[in-house]
């Protein structure tokens, strides 16, 4: 029996979708545990190419139950849209379940996300605009509406009416915006309820039963460690925990039940939105990595900021997640570069440091200390064994392993599922 958590080790977009899609073949349950439709996983498989925002990637594997856990905030319109897309491509979703404890994204969350960002002016976070922050804020403020609430329409109407009164006061009095109609939202969400009711369940019970039967479970991360509200570059973070600890909380499992924690590291760094990124390249090399890696947001289409691999951030990520193994993705994106750099420390106020500062003002001042390594300058998409990688690519991977302190079980050398080097199995 294995429970494997797949965790983004950087700022999201590490290529977790492909890793999860591969591992899902061996799992019986795949659980999304945090975030919402701010995430975007591109999955390429025999059914075609899919951009999934809310449905766990495991949905493609027959015999797999895909769960949207209690730690996720769910936009029902997006979820139903994705289900319909899958059905059109011949992928059925009878084994897709949503935790009755998962909070719902409501129309006012999306409106407020936009209004709050506008009010931040030059300090905007660069959110995805999907209402994620306001939905998680309501969860903690005890103003949320949960998937399970849709199952009792009368109670749902009462709850919505109370919350909406408060939200409309904020919309009209703080932001000078138009109020939202109770009837419109209620009717719309009742339609969602009819569509989703068969999929809403106590998913913690399902997982407990799966554990009892010793069935393998995969916990599918969204976003990345450096976007965590506690350990990321706060306040330039998301609003739920993408960490291994968040995986337990967002799925309803105990920490002792997780057997492997896999950190997914891209072979370089990217970030979308605002906030510090010490190794960012604002030059031709950054542009070359962006073009070679098609580094444009799956959810918003925004160009991602690109930079060298940050060994300081990576080590921090390993430490706070307790990674037991790693996946290194997109190694092939570096194929054409003659020279590569890896950040091994930061220079801060004249001193070299090897830790990731909590304070973004300090992080903003950090200058990366680089180590140079020769590139391999040849395509590696067809390589399937580590020993067949060009020696310089092997050296690069080994250095990443040393810096992260984490052995790489999987190395991805292309978009397709088969373009992968597997060194150790976790399932
Ligand atoms: P939010 O999660 O939409 O509130 O956005 C907060 C920050 O997290 C912004 O900088 C977003 O660009 C970033 N973010 C949210 N989801 C993702 C993701 O899936 N990949 C990369 N960045 C993300």
């Amino acid at each position: 029996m294995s429970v494997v958590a797949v965790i983004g080790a950087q700022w999201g977009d590490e290529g977790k979708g492909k890793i999860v899609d591969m591992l899902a073949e061996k799992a019986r349950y795949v659980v999304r545990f945090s975030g919402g439709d701010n995430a975007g996983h591109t999955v390429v498989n025999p059914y075609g190419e899919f951009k999934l925002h809310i449905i766990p990637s495991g949905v493609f594997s027959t015999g797999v139950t895909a769960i949207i856990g209690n730690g996720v905030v769910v936009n029902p319109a997006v979820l139903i849209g994705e289900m319909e897309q899958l059905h059109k491509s011949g992928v059925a979703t009878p084994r897709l379940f949503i935790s009755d404890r998962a909070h719902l994204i409501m129309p006012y969350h999306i409106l407020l996300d936009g209004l709050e960002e506008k009010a931040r002016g030059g300090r905007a976070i660069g959110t995805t605009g999907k209402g994620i922050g306001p939905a998680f804020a309501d969860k903690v403020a005890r103003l949320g509406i949960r998937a399970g609430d849709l199952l009792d329409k009368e109670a749902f109407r009462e709850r919505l009416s109370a919350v909406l009164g408060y939200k409309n006061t904020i919309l009209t009095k703080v932001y000078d915006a138009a109020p939202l109609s109770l009837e419109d939202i209620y009717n719309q969400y009742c339609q969602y309820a009819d569509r989703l009711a068969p999929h809403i369940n106590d998913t913690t019970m399902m997982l407990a039963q799966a554990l009892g039967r010793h069935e393998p479970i995969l916990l599918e991360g969204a976003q990345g460690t450096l976007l965590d509200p506690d350990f990321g570059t706060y306040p330039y973070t998301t609003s739920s925990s993408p960490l291994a600890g968040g995986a337990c909380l967002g799925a309803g499992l105990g920490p002792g039940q997780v057997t492997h924690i896999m950190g997914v590291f891209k072979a370089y760094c990217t970030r979308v939105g605002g906030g510090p990124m010490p190794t960012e390249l604002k030059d031709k090399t950054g542009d070359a990595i962006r073009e070679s890696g098609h580094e444009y947001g799956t959810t918003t289409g925004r160009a991602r900021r690109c930079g060298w691999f940050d060994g300081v951030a990576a080590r921090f990520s390993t430490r706070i997640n307790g990674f037991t193994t790693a996946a290194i993705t997109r190694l092939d994106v570096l194929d054409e570069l003659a020279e590569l750099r890896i950040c091994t420390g930061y220079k801060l106020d004249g001193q070299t440091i090897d830790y990731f500062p909590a304070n973004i003002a300090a992080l903003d001042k950090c200058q990366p200390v680089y180590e140079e390594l020769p590139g391999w300058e040849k395509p590696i998409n067809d390589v399937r064994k580590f020993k067949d990688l060009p020696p310089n690519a092997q050296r690069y991977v080994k250095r990443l392993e040393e810096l992260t302190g984490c052995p790489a079980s999987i190395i991805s050398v292309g978009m397709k599922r088969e373009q992968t080097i597997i060194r150790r199995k976790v399932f």
Side-chain angles (χ1 to χ4, degrees):
M1 187 268 307
S2 287
V3 179
V4 179
V6 176
I7 306 293
Q10 295 152 322
W11 279 283
D13 308 315
E14 296 93 351
K16 297 179 291 293
K18 171 180 159 173
I19 304 296
V20 170
D21 192 39
M22 278 172 46
L23 295 178
E25 280 192 336
K26 302 278 182 317
R28 296 296 302 274
Y29 286 77
V30 179
V31 191
R32 260 289 300 273
F33 60 79
S34 70
D37 62 306
N38 49 350
H41 290 172
T42 305
V43 179
V44 185
N45 61 26
Y47 293 102
E49 181 174 330
F50 299 87
K51 293 187 192 306
L52 296 179
H53 298 283
I54 186 79
I55 294 185
S57 312
V59 75
F60 295 102
S61 305
T62 37
V64 167
T65 299
I67 290 180
I68 298 175
N70 55 280
V72 178
V73 286
V74 180
N75 181 330
V78 173
L79 174 57
I80 292 167
E82 284 189 10
M83 287 165 75
E84 280 167 5
Q85 269 266 301
L86 289 171
H87 298 167
K88 272 189 210 144
S89 305
V91 183
T93 56
R95 301 168 77 115
L96 171 67
F97 292 94
I98 307 143
S99 163
D100 49 4
R101 291 176 170 88
H103 282 244
L104 297 177
I105 296 184
M106 306 299 291
Y108 41 82
H109 292 138
I110 298 168
L111 262 179
L112 286 167
D113 198 356
L115 292 166
E116 287 167 6
E117 275 287 85
K118 208 164 150 204
R120 287 184 192 113
R123 292 201 178 83
I125 294 165
T127 71
T128 56
K130 306 289 180 187
I132 307 297
F136 278 113
D138 273 1
K139 172 175 177 172
V140 181
R142 290 151 296 186
L143 286 170
I145 296 178
R146 309 200 291 183
D149 295 336
L150 293 178
L151 302 178
D152 177 344
K153 288 185 183 155
E154 231 169 86
F156 168 58
R157 190 186 173 94
E158 232 172 79
R159 177 90 180 138
L160 177 63
S161 169
V163 175
L164 191 62
Y166 173 72
K167 293 291 166 188
N168 274 340
T169 308
I170 295 181
L171 284 172
T172 54
K173 301 243 162 51
V174 177
Y175 293 106
D176 208 15
L180 296 175
S181 147
L182 172 65
E183 284 315 308
D184 287 356
I185 301 180
Y186 176 73
N187 291 331
Q188 183 70 76
Y189 275 66
C190 281
Q191 283 181 27
Y192 298 150
D194 293 340
R195 181 74 182 78
L196 295 177
H199 298 273
I200 297 173
N201 207 344
D202 180 348
T203 52
T204 61
M205 286 294 287
M206 297 171 71
L207 292 179
Q209 285 159 5
L211 285 173
R213 291 190 298 264
H214 304 288
E215 289 176 339
I217 298 173
L218 187 61
L219 306 176
E220 171 180 343
Q223 287 86 44
T225 297
L226 304 173
L227 290 172
D228 180 76
D230 282 278
F231 295 104
T233 49
Y234 189 84
Y236 293 91
T237 60
T238 190
S239 307
S240 62
S241 177
L243 305 182
C248 297
L249 206 58
L253 291 173
Q257 286 162 327
V258 179
T259 42
H260 300 281
I261 305 172
M262 176 178 280
V264 184
F265 293 90
K266 189 143 63 179
Y268 47 94
C269 276
T270 62
R271 166 161 213 176
V272 211
M277 177 181 172
T279 62
E280 181 173 9
L281 290 166
K282 293 180 180 167
D283 60 7
K284 280 191 185 151
T285 309
D287 295 342
I289 294 176
R290 183 176 308 107
E291 292 318 310
S292 162
H294 310 290
E295 292 292 358
Y296 294 89
T298 318
T299 301
T300 58
R302 289 180 289 179
R304 294 179 185 143
R305 299 155 64 190
C306 297
W308 296 120
F309 188 88
D310 186 336
V312 180
R315 210 161 34 230
F316 173 66
S317 192
T318 300
R319 175 158 63 81
I320 57 169
N321 282 293
F323 293 142
T324 57
T325 181
I328 294 175
T329 61
R330 307 196 132 222
L331 189 64
D332 57 303
V333 169
L334 304 178
D335 280 356
E336 285 177 20
L337 298 178
E339 205 160 72
L340 304 171
R341 289 179 163 196
I342 298 177
C343 167
T344 55
Y346 297 148
K347 268 252 183 304
L348 176 63
D349 298 330
Q351 297 210 318
T352 303
I353 60 167
D354 64 358
Y355 61 87
F356 193 74
N359 182 311
I360 55 161
L363 200 53
D364 258 333
K365 282 200 285 179
C366 285
Q367 291 300 317
V369 177
Y370 285 122
E371 184 175 291
E372 287 190 357
L373 279 91
W376 45 94
E377 297 183 88
K378 58 170 84 148
I380 56 170
N381 304 107
D382 294 331
V383 177
R384 299 291 175 266
K385 290 203 172 112
F386 186 73
K387 67 174 178 45
D388 296 335
L389 279 173
N392 286 348
Q394 293 190 27
R395 194 180 312 168
Y396 187 78
V397 170
K398 282 184 187 150
R399 189 67 183 118
L400 299 196
E401 290 184 313
E402 276 167 22
L403 285 168
T404 57
C406 211
S409 303
I410 298 178
I411 299 164
S412 172
V413 292
M415 285 279 278
K416 294 190 188 141
R417 207 189 270 203
E418 63 271 19
Q419 291 174 321
T420 310
I421 298 169
I422 298 178
R423 295 163 85 197
R424 266 167 243 104
K425 291 202 159 78
V426 287
F427 277 132

